[in-house]
Every structure is written in C-alpha cells, then in structure tokens.
Amino acid sequence: MANVVVIGSQWGDEGKGKIVDWLSERADVVVRFQGGHNAGHTLVIDGVTYKLSLLPSGVVRPGKLSLVGNGVVVDPWAFLNEVDTVRALGVEVSPKNVRISESAPLILPLHRELDLAREKALGAAKIGTTGRGIGPAYEDKTARRAIRLGDLAEPQALGQRVQALLFHHNALRRGLGEPQIDADAMLATLAEVTPKILPYAGVVWQELDAARRRGKRILYEGAQGTMLDVDHGTYPFVTSSNTVAGMAAVGSGQGPNAIDYVLGICKAYTTRVGGGPFPTELNDDIGHRLGERGLEFGTVTGRPRRCGWFDGALVRQAVKVNGIDGIALTKLDVLDGMREIKVCTGYRIDGDAIGHLPASTVRQAKVEPVYEVLEGWSESTRGARSWAELPATTVKYIRRIEEIIGAPVAVLSTSPKREDVVLVHDPFAD
C-alpha cells in the first residue's frame, strides 16, 4: 500500500481540500505535518461545507485516524473552537480519532499579539501574515523556548518554561510599546485550557510507525504551497515552515522511506494572497474574471486572491524541489470560454533567459514572464469525469502543461464536487 504526500505546487490555495478529501476516503490515517491554523481547506460532502484549518481533512470521515504531527504549531483555543464547529455539523471528534503530537509547539495569545504588533510597525512593508501567531511560535521553537503540548502535563516545570518565554517576549513588547505579560496570569490561562486540550496529546511518530507496519494507507496532508516555503519560496514573503514534501517525514516523525508518492496540487491558472512577487499576475479584466469565476477568496482570511496565467516555470521548479510524481490539476473549468490562454514557460531578466524564479528579491522584481499562447475552448469542462468528455483543445492544453512542468497529470478536477474527477493514475496504487 502506498503512502501519499499531498503538497501545494504554487502559492497555496490550489484546491488541496477537495483532492485530500477525495484521497482520504481511501486512506486509513491522515496526518498534518507543518503549518498551523493559518491555512484552510474547504470540503463539500453530501451538500455540507466543512472549513478546516488545523484538523486533518480525514476527520470528517468515520473510521479514519487523524493526526497532527510535531511539525505543526497548535493554537489550543483555535483547535478547540474548530472541534466545536465540526461537531455542530455532526462530525465525531474525540481523542479516539484525533491525536496531536506531544512535541507540537503551542501558539499562545502572546504570539498572536506579537504577530499583529510587528505587522503594524512594518506599515507598507508588511509581509501579509494572517496574524495568527504562526511565525512567532516557530521562532520560539527554533530558539528552544517554546511551550509544547506535553509540557502542560508537567505543572511543576511549566512555571520555569513560562518565565524563560516571558524573559524574551516582554523585552520585545517593551520595544513595541506593548504592555508586559504577567507570568501568573499566563499560567492561569494555561491551567484553564489544559484539561480540554491535553487529552488529545499522543506519540504521533509511534502511531504512524505502527500503522505502516500494519500496512495501513497514510495520507500526509500539506498546507500552503511550495512557493511559500521558508527555504524554497519567495522569501521573505513566505510562511514560517517548510511546506515541501520532505517536511512530511520530518514533521510527522517518519523516515524518508515512509513516502511512496508525492502528489502536487496546482490550479490551471495561478493565484496568490498577500504581498510578494507574482510574475504572471493580471491586473486587468482577465485577472478579474479568473477571480470571480474561481471564487478566489481565502478560506481562513477571506482576502481576495491575486490572479494570473498558469506559471509553468514556477510549477516546474516545485516539481523538482518536491520530487513530485504526479500533478492534480484543479479549477480547469474556470478557463472555459476563453478564446486563447497564455502559459508562462520561463522568464527574462534584463533580456537574458532564465528557467526558474531566482532567490534574490532584486532579481525577482526584474523578472518578466515568457508566454506561449495556446488555443482556448468554448465548450464546458465542468463536471467531466473522463478524457472523452473533454474538448480536444482542453486535452492539448493539459498535455502542453505536462511537457512544460516535467510531470504527468495524475488527477484532473473539473468542479468543486468531489465526484467530478478524471483519474489518470491512482497515487495509492504505487
């Protein structure tokens, strides 16, 4: 049985929710391995819409084990609120089917406050963070001062951990003109949430190892997208974690040999939320049309997404960085009715050709996309479930994308409905 990693191949918002839900029906275990509640997945099942941020997508399906790995930063209050929300929709959520790694760092109120205070201080130069404390929580993890979920079970040592944390944060708060935090007040806040969140703590790496030994199918669910990776993305306009496929092993406590297939998700066009470079962005009627037809608003933030043509050079880079075996191409139907469609095949900087998006922010600002113009189609692709139902020019568009990015299309999504899928290759079959 293959174990599959699902990752975003662009700047996030590629439609991972539907694909992960479609795959999770056949998986036994679904595990989140990075990020926090700053990224959202929207699932529509039997007419019911579920908007998940921290809970793995498998939670909406009975009989699945949902795990939150050590690579995720967890806001206990956001987690518990999300549990209440999905329970109200009839979903069973308890420590029996959802577990969080005892090693997962916690996002505390001070992290959210620091996030917002920094963005305010940056003014026009702000990064565009969601303000949920993700970045500051990862900073504390790296600096070895984080409070982790398992620490809540050790009240005798928690006081010292809080003092060490506040030694750093209160200094920052003074510099930003924010009031200092009292250690006793923070301990009281943690004491109140501990009995609610601690029952979900578990040894996730051990559970995954046991599941693998029993031949269970494991789905590693990524959040955000490759170009938001803190190492490989458009730095500094990135998230605070590694979003690439290699993080699936690190962020869940498994070895690299746990991964059998990497499925990259990408739209048939490109979108981005917040600031940062976007070579194929369209600030015209076509860009506006893509946004309207694709309902391009963030699941978590509600912010409108910037829209542009498909950037094949960008996805080609993601294919190589992630070791992508196949692509799930989504929102193809948004392109229906366009007379011609442009695809970026590479870039130019000061007249010189370049095949990838450079790391330098100075050079990124100079990037000009090189386009290839493809014939569009007037027929509808919405709801197609086989190649035979697709217009010939649509198939040509897909085949050309495969050539440009250097990876085959394994799954084709033709509407938000989970059953509207053209399956070319089953990732779980490897």
Side-chain angles (χ1 to χ4, degrees):
M1 298 287 185
N3 296 324
V4 178
V5 177
V6 174
I7 51 92
S9 305
Q10 295 160 313
W11 277 293
D13 309 309
E14 299 96 349
K16 290 186 292 296
K18 170 185 171 175
I19 301 300
V20 167
D21 170 54
W22 181 76
L23 288 169
S24 69
E25 186 176 30
R26 296 173 1 255
D28 301 299
V29 183
V30 182
V31 56
R32 279 281 312 273
F33 58 85
Q34 51 76 220
H37 64 303
N38 53 337
H41 292 168
T42 300
L43 313 179
V44 180
I45 303 173
D46 297 329
V48 180
T49 299
Y50 305 91
K51 293 192 175 184
L52 306 177
S53 295
L54 191 55
L55 287 169
S57 296
V59 75
V60 300
R61 299 202 166 277
K64 311 295 181 183
L65 177 60
S66 294
L67 301 175
V68 178
N70 55 277
V72 179
V73 285
V74 177
D75 183 323
W77 298 272
F79 173 82
L80 294 168
N81 285 337
E82 191 172 333
V83 167
D84 289 341
T85 299
V86 297
R87 278 178 176 165
L89 295 172
V91 176
E92 171 66 30
V93 184
S94 76
K96 292 181 180 179
N97 66 330
V98 177
R99 247 104 63 204
I100 305 171
S101 170
E102 60 184 0
S103 301
L106 299 183
I107 301 174
L108 306 174
L110 57 80
H111 293 124
R112 297 193 297 269
E113 293 163 6
L114 179 58
D115 217 349
L116 294 171
R118 280 176 170 169
E119 285 285 90
K120 180 180 177 182
L122 286 170
K126 64 183 180 181
I127 295 173
T129 172
T130 59
R132 283 163 170 75
I134 311 295
Y138 273 117
E139 289 176 38
D140 284 342
K141 172 186 176 178
T142 303
R144 302 178 298 278
R145 57 176 170 260
I147 292 173
R148 307 197 296 180
L149 179 58
D151 293 334
L152 299 182
E154 309 293 344
Q156 70 277 13
L158 190 58
Q160 291 180 336
R161 302 301 303 271
V162 166
Q163 289 288 357
L165 185 66
L166 292 184
F167 178 78
H168 172 79
H169 276 270
N170 278 335
L172 287 177
R173 294 172 74 92
R174 286 193 297 270
L176 290 166
E178 298 291 327
Q180 296 190 82
I181 297 172
D182 178 72
D184 289 338
M186 184 173 172
L187 284 166
T189 299
L190 291 173
E192 188 272 335
V193 79
T194 292
K196 302 174 185 177
I197 189 72
L198 197 57
Y200 289 93
V203 186
V204 165
W205 66 265
Q206 201 170 59
E207 295 201 45
L208 285 170
D209 181 68
R212 286 180 60 210
R213 292 178 184 279
R214 294 196 305 270
K216 301 295 185 181
R217 286 176 168 175
I218 302 171
L219 180 63
Y220 297 85
E221 178 183 3
Q224 290 108 2
T226 299
M227 290 302 151
L228 292 176
D229 185 276
V230 69
D231 288 307
H232 301 286
T234 48
Y235 191 92
F237 298 94
V238 294
T239 193
S240 303
S241 63
N242 289 110
T243 61
V244 293
M247 186 63 187
V250 178
S252 63
Q254 301 294 285
N257 62 346
I259 301 169
D260 299 302
Y261 192 96
V262 179
L263 181 68
I265 317 296
C266 66
K267 287 175 182 168
Y269 52 101
T270 311
T271 64
R272 173 161 206 176
V273 171
F278 187 167
T280 65
E281 184 172 12
L282 296 170
N283 294 305
D284 57 14
D285 290 342
I286 295 177
H288 183 68
R289 177 185 176 183
L290 290 173
E292 280 195 334
R293 295 194 64 183
L295 302 175
E296 297 298 349
F297 298 92
T299 299
V300 171
T301 65
R303 290 184 292 185
R305 298 171 185 142
R306 301 154 63 190
C307 298
W309 294 120
F310 183 84
D311 192 334
L314 194 83
V315 177
R316 183 170 62 236
Q317 190 168 332
V319 166
K320 296 179 185 299
V321 168
N322 289 286
I324 288 174
D325 296 294
I327 287 287
L329 191 65
T330 67
K331 293 201 171 184
L332 183 69
D333 57 300
V334 174
L335 300 180
D336 290 353
M338 289 191 169
R339 186 173 60 84
E340 62 178 31
I341 301 168
K342 292 183 179 180
V343 176
C344 174
T345 59
Y347 310 114
R348 285 196 185 94
I349 299 177
D350 296 330
D352 296 327
I354 182 172
H356 68 281
L357 194 61
S360 162
T361 55
V362 174
R363 286 170 60 77
Q364 285 174 3
K366 295 180 178 181
V367 160
E368 297 177 8
V370 176
Y371 286 118
E372 182 176 314
V373 180
L374 303 177
E375 183 183 357
W377 54 89
S378 58
E379 306 96 321
S380 173
T381 63
R382 191 174 182 86
R385 299 182 187 178
S386 70
W387 287 112
E389 296 177 59
L390 296 173
T393 48
T394 306
V395 176
K396 287 182 181 178
Y397 177 76
I398 296 167
R399 294 305 185 205
R400 182 59 185 134
I401 282 179
E402 291 178 321
E403 291 173 351
I404 292 168
I405 67 175
V409 171
V411 181
L412 185 66
S413 172
T414 57
S415 91
K417 295 181 179 179
R418 67 181 310 276
E419 60 270 19
D420 290 340
V421 166
V422 178
L423 178 61
V424 183
H425 176 80
D426 184 354
F428 276 126
D430 282 28

